[in-house]
Amino acid sequence: MYSRSIIVDAPTPKRGLIHSDGCRLIDRIRKKRRSGEVTHYKYHEYPRYQFVNTSTGMVDTLLRALDPRNIEWKLHVGEREPVHNAYIVSISRSSAVARMDAFVGPEF
C-alpha cells in the first residue's frame, strides 16, 4: 500500500497518526489504602499515548511503524461507547513514552 510505505519508512511516521487519531495524556490511577477505620487514596500519574481507530489498516500501519523502533504497545478493542468496536493502541511504559516524545512532539 502506497501510504503504508510512506508512514513506515518516514523518520517520524507516528507524528501524523498520533496527531490525527491519537493523543498524549496523563493517566491518573487511584488506589484505595486502609489504615484501621480510615480509608486513604493514593494517586499515581504517568504520561501515555493512545491511538484509537476503527480501521485495521490504520492500526496495522501504526504498529508496523512502532515495532522496528522498539516502542512497546498494547492493543485492545473498545467495548463501550464512544469507542465501541474501535481498536485502542496504548503506549505507557516510560521508555516507550520517552521515545514517542522524541518523535511526535507537541501538536500545533
Side-chain angles (χ1 to χ4, degrees):
M1 173 185 231
Y2 170 74
S3 62
R4 179 175 293 150
S5 66
I6 290 173
I7 291 171
V8 172
D9 296 336
T12 57
K14 299 161 293 302
R15 185 177 192 155
L17 290 171
I18 294 297
H19 285 180
S20 67
D21 293 326
C23 64
R24 183 186 192 276
L25 56 105
I26 301 297
D27 201 358
R28 187 174 200 198
I29 305 295
R30 181 177 80 167
K31 293 194 176 191
K32 190 185 283 190
R33 305 274 187 212
R34 288 201 146 224
S35 176
E37 299 279 326
V38 180
T39 300
H40 299 278
Y41 293 97
K42 181 178 180 181
Y43 294 93
H44 174 68
E45 294 180 341
Y46 63 96
R48 70 184 300 162
Y49 282 87
Q50 277 193 320
F51 177 81
V52 180
N53 203 298
T54 56
S55 165
T56 56
M58 290 303 291
V59 172
D60 183 57
T61 299
L62 175 68
L63 300 182
R64 286 177 186 256
L66 297 174
D67 285 343
R69 291 161 179 86
N70 296 319
I71 296 176
E72 296 179 54
W73 50 268
K74 290 185 180 179
L75 175 69
H76 70 277
V77 178
E79 297 177 0
R80 296 179 288 188
E81 296 298 334
V83 293
H84 183 67
N85 291 333
Y87 298 96
I88 303 168
V89 178
S90 298
I91 300 164
S92 56
R93 291 195 178 262
S94 59
S95 59
V97 170
R99 283 196 294 280
M100 288 291 289
D101 286 344
F103 282 113
V104 175
E107 182 175 8
F108 297 103

